Amino acid sequence: MKSSSTLPILMYHGVDARPSVVTLHPDRFRWQIEWLNKCGYNGISLGELVRYIAAGESFPARAVVLTFDDGYQNLYTEAFPILRQYGFSATVFLVAGFCNKDNRWPSQPLNIPTMKLLTWEQIGEMARFGIEFGSHTINHPRLDRLPASTLHHEVVMSKVILENRLGRPITTFAYPYGQYSEVVRDAVRNTYDLACGTQLGLATPTSDPYVLERVEAGYLS
């Protein structure tokens, strides 16, 4: 079996026709997935990626990980049908305290459009079809600005909430706004198997498994 020393982890947020820094037009999303499929790429989950990094092994050739931060409801209506059509898995990072609500968490910039988030019923359906879910905290704060007790609540209790709701282990995490400190990273390392940052780059077998590089999907032509 052919292998590769690098692997792209693509980072998405919303898949929506409204232009913004956190949305990708549904037509462009379809084009990207069709292109990946045509080029022979296979989607793997972050849960699968953990095993390769833990062993320091090369990745499967033409493997790609699709990640979605925040858990917008348009993932269910726009992205999920396309992923199913082409057989791609994905990892969705949920803001546990805002599921079934919208994205107006306290730290949300005003220039970000208000969008509904996934309901628990939609999350359950997506999970049954192989979509993996991870934690994106409870309230989407900047973790590097929090006192220790609040940091523990956001990192650890978000995992507990999601596991109780989904009935399955939650092993992956994404830092809100890509911001972290060594204290934050240590808290995440003690709670999860793997975490994604927002630093631009390709993952390698020697990548830090708690600050994995990603590629913003908007960079794809």
Side-chain angles (χ1 to χ4, degrees), residues 43-111:
I44 67 173
S45 69
L46 282 174
E48 294 176 84
L49 184 63
V50 168
R51 296 195 292 271
Y52 292 101
I53 292 180
E57 297 178 353
S58 294
F59 307 126
R62 292 194 177 276
V64 62
V65 178
L66 308 179
T67 65
F68 296 82
D69 288 11
D70 302 339
Y72 292 105
Q73 196 170 114
N74 48 47
L75 304 185
Y76 180 82
T77 58
E78 302 289 350
F80 184 42
I82 298 171
L83 295 175
R84 290 181 61 185
Q85 179 181 350
Y86 290 98
F88 277 86
S89 62
T91 301
V92 180
F93 295 109
L94 300 170
V95 183
F98 281 78
C99 295
N100 209 26
K101 299 178 183 178
D102 62 36
N103 62 331
R104 297 258 62 95
W105 38 76
S107 60
Q108 185 69 279
L110 294 177
N111 66 325

Side-chain angles (χ1 to χ4, degrees), residues 2 9 11 14 22 31 43 46 53 65 78 86-87 92 103 131 135-136 140 153 163 178 181-182 186 188 201 215-216:
K2 294 183 178 180
I9 303 175
M11 179 176 64
V22 297
W31 181 91
L46 282 174
I53 292 180
V65 178
E78 302 289 350
Y86 290 98
V92 180
N103 62 331
I131 301 299
S135 171
H136 204 33
H140 205 286
H153 181 71
E163 288 182 339
S181 63
E182 285 305 307
D186 287 345
V188 171
V215 177
E216 168 59 52

